[in-house]
Amino acid sequence: MPYIARRRTLPEVALTGGFVDPRAKTQPSFSGRMTCRDVTDFISNITKFSPLAPRLDMPGADGHVSLRHGKPDDERRTQVDCTLDKILARSDEIKLESTRQGGQDEDGGYKFADQPLSDLVPGLVVSGGLSRSPAFDCLPAVSRFRLSSGPEDPNATFQLTSTWGTAYVVGEGSVMEAPLGAPVWSLKTHAIAPTKPGSSKFCQRYDANTDTLTTTVNLARRLDTARTGGVLCAISNVSWMRNARVADAVDCAAGLLSDAAALLAARDNVLTTGETQRLPFAEIRPVVMPTWCSARRPLPPKLSGVALSQDQATLDLLAAEGCNGSLVNASIFSMAVGYNRGVYGGSISGLWAIMDSAFVLDYTIGTKDSRLADSISGAFAEVAAVAETAASAGPHITDIRVVKGCNYACLRQKTVIEDTTNVDSAPCIVVWDDLSRLARYKLADAVFCHVYYDSGGGEEMAAMAGLGCVVHDWIDLGADVSCGEVSNIIPSLTRGSLDEEPLLEVYSRLAGAMIWYRDNDLFNPAALCILYTHWWQLANCRHRPISLLGRTDLDVTLSGVAATVPSKRPTLDHFRAQGTKVERGHGQFAKAEARLKSVLESDPLPETLAVIDLLVRPTLDYVRGASDELPAESEYLAAVLAAEVAYPQGKKVLELWDLAIVMWESGAMWAAGVASLCYTHTGKTNCDRARGDLAGNTWM
């Protein structure tokens, strides 16, 4: 049942969201094999014949298709079990090969080598590459290796050049947009040489006469320090070996770790001395939390990221999706299956999901438990085994597992640096000088390196996948600033201000970018990762946007927020405040209502209707002042998760674009962020994960 939000005290269901949060306690499911229906379906439909056809006119399907082989059930089941057994056996071999490199532990078992990628990128990686394709997933758009050229990187020392040719692949998996075949870019050559003066950091050109796409990236060889733990060298070695596109995506993660190590050291100095610290690329400043915003206390505390939902509708959904291992945890399911099925669709998204599931565990509670560490490494080894077996999608799976593994290695080392720092938190912000560098940093911090790869790369894709993370950083701004987090991008986009006007403008510009992509390029992976970040934060049992909204009483005459929509594809500068006045009020709120009405008149999916009834409509009623009630997170969790994983993919994506825009244009998300700015924190820095010092009474 909804609760009355406009009152001083909060009922227990509002404080907890209706969830149970074990925090750092290991849950029984965490040590099991991570899997879901998508993984089983993909493995059950691996192609057995040569995937690369000569270039010719092959038809594709108009809509996504569920591909089932016409065999009797018993014969089909036996074949599936045999394939799965072979992949799991090969997975164990890959994991054993990686652990043997590390010698034996005290109990006589093998341990992973000190090489920091041995558990995240197991097995041999050689040169190769294949782009994503609607033959594997449910996105109707073909691969987006877009033509572009970016600015020079003065620190670059090596030039990586890969050439690609068009090929056609047959469908692989059980659900995809084009099972009869679709074009891909397949790697032809790959070379590394010294960089040439004046070369762009990223450049792609196409020669129609030879059907050759050439990707050239100029990268700096980053050196490890004691704080980066050998990760930078390891990820460079494996990604530079693979191809230039993979190397470019992984370089975003390398920049994240290198810059975060410097930022965290400077942050510690700020907190211990109270003085601003200057780095070559950014400034870290102590700040006072703003006083223009207000909210009723207590504020709902952030949850750990591994909270449990006991709602029957959620449990039924997890069961229907065939979840096992950590994926039976609703928080992890949201990050893994909900997000990846949402962005990509198709059974191949299950492979991305189990790697993401492993990362959430590692990020949230660490790998000190040996059974948990084994479960995490098993997920990456299983994907490596599938890549070896999949005749069609295998090279693409390898590209993504390399990008994801390297991205996670950098984030894991970043958390090691954070968690070994023993500094009392105090409010501070980071203001970057270079938006291009910040965008690459942020897309890696948000684990979007693989989405950047799939979107085609280049500065405009980094702008959306990186600076578009305003969609989440706005909700988390107050918590991040108050506990000393260094990765929130909003202070850089407001040019160091926490005043209302520049914050409102950044908010408006994000809404405008969402509208532009919804209207012009709605299936772009770089945009979809931002769209589904909006829905993920509403269904991850961790962040509290709707509960935060309920602690505000903003002037209803200012409820709607006008979106600043760009005239062309959003650039880096689009996301930064320019001093533009943003209109607010009933007229803007009416636009949100009109958009919602349009969705309702379009015969929406039943899953979309459930989200409207349980979440969107009550939220708008609260914002306009027509109701004092809001739903607890557990009441709409199942509806949001079901909408994320629904089919058909195209209709789902369009409807969720519109509903997300409704929530931003109405001002609901603005109010949630305003309440977040009222957080105060007492404790150690970065205390927002399932560590032993995370407690509700540290957040006020």
Side-chain angles (χ1 to χ4, degrees), residues 92-278:
D92 289 340
E93 290 175 359
I94 292 172
K95 191 164 63 172
L96 184 60
E97 290 166 2
S98 297
T99 55
R100 276 179 172 163
Q101 299 172 17
Q104 290 185 303
D105 58 24
E106 296 176 354
D107 299 325
Y110 288 104
K111 61 183 180 180
F112 280 101
D114 291 336
Q115 200 275 86
L117 280 180
S118 56
D119 58 336
L120 299 177
V121 188
L124 180 65
V125 175
V126 297
S127 292
L130 195 73
S131 66
R132 64 147 294 273
S133 170
F136 310 145
D137 59 38
C138 288
L139 296 182
V142 297
S143 174
R144 296 173 177 275
F145 278 41
R146 64 180 63 250
L147 306 181
S148 60
S149 182
E152 178 185 0
D153 181 356
N155 298 314
T157 52
F158 289 92
Q159 184 174 91
L160 286 71
T161 303
S162 294
T163 62
W164 311 77
T166 304
Y168 277 81
V169 289
V170 297
E172 191 153 45
S174 66
V175 182
M176 70 286 288
E177 178 74 12
L180 300 181
V184 293
W185 293 107
S186 180
L187 185 73
K188 294 167 65 174
T189 66
H190 178 54
I192 303 176
T195 194
K196 299 175 182 177
S199 298
S200 298
K201 183 177 183 69
F202 178 94
C203 179
Q204 286 190 145
R205 293 286 183 264
Y206 179 65
D207 184 343
N209 293 324
T210 60
D211 182 35
T212 300
L213 177 75
T214 301
T215 305
T216 304
V217 296
N218 289 273
L219 304 176
R221 187 73 175 185
R222 302 179 191 272
L223 301 178
D224 274 296
T225 66
R227 292 167 72 86
T228 60
V231 172
L232 296 177
C233 179
I235 65 172
S236 295
N237 288 343
V238 71
S239 64
W240 290 23
M241 169 84 67
R242 185 65 183 166
N243 61 63
R245 286 288 297 111
V246 166
D248 176 52
V250 170
D251 183 68
C252 296
L256 160 72
L257 178 56
S258 178
D259 289 346
L263 287 169
L264 289 166
R267 186 275 313 271
D268 293 348
N269 287 334
V270 169
L271 298 185
T272 54
T273 67
E275 298 180 358
T276 295
Q277 299 290 311
R278 181 72 207 177

Side-chain angles (χ1 to χ4, degrees), residues 587-604:
Q588 307 309 318
F589 190 88
K591 289 183 179 180
E593 290 185 306
R595 188 180 291 271
L596 177 59
K597 181 181 178 183
S598 177
V599 174
L600 289 168
E601 292 174 345
S602 68
D603 189 23

Side-chain angles (χ1 to χ4, degrees), residues 112-122 227-231 234-235 253 256-257 260 264 358-368 372-378 380 404-420 444-445 447 689:
F112 280 101
D114 291 336
Q115 200 275 86
L117 280 180
S118 56
D119 58 336
L120 299 177
V121 188
R227 292 167 72 86
T228 60
V231 172
I235 65 172
L256 160 72
L257 178 56
L264 289 166
F359 164 70
V360 174
L361 284 181
D362 200 0
Y363 175 82
T364 305
I365 63 178
T367 58
K368 294 180 180 179
L372 177 58
D374 185 67
S375 178
I376 292 171
S377 63
F380 287 91
K404 276 185 171 288
C406 292
N407 196 168
Y408 295 155
C410 290
L411 278 166
R412 178 167 65 183
Q413 188 62 27
K414 175 175 175 268
T415 62
V416 168
I417 298 171
E418 290 172 342
D419 291 347
T420 53
D445 187 63
V447 295
R689 296 191 297 274

Side-chain angles (χ1 to χ4, degrees), residues 316-368:
D316 289 345
L317 176 64
L318 299 180
E321 289 297 330
C323 294
N324 192 39
S326 61
L327 284 168
V328 302
N329 178 284
S331 293
I332 296 175
F333 179 92
S334 175
M335 168 70 178
V337 178
Y339 176 85
N340 285 290
R341 176 93 68 79
V343 171
Y344 290 100
S347 55
I348 197 171
S349 66
L351 302 180
W352 313 160
I354 60 174
M355 290 189 288
D356 285 342
S357 176
F359 164 70
V360 174
L361 284 181
D362 200 0
Y363 175 82
T364 305
I365 63 178
T367 58
K368 294 180 180 179

Side-chain angles (χ1 to χ4, degrees), residues 35-38 309-324 327-330 333-334 337-339 341 539 607 611 636-647:
T35 192
C36 60
R37 178 165 62 92
D38 284 334
S309 172
Q310 298 175 324
D311 170 65
Q312 191 59 48
T314 301
L315 298 177
D316 289 345
L317 176 64
L318 299 180
E321 289 297 330
C323 294
N324 192 39
L327 284 168
V328 302
N329 178 284
F333 179 92
S334 175
V337 178
Y339 176 85
R341 176 93 68 79
E607 294 87 351
V611 172
Y636 58 77
L637 171 65
V640 173
L641 292 177
E644 287 181 320
V645 302
Y647 286 120

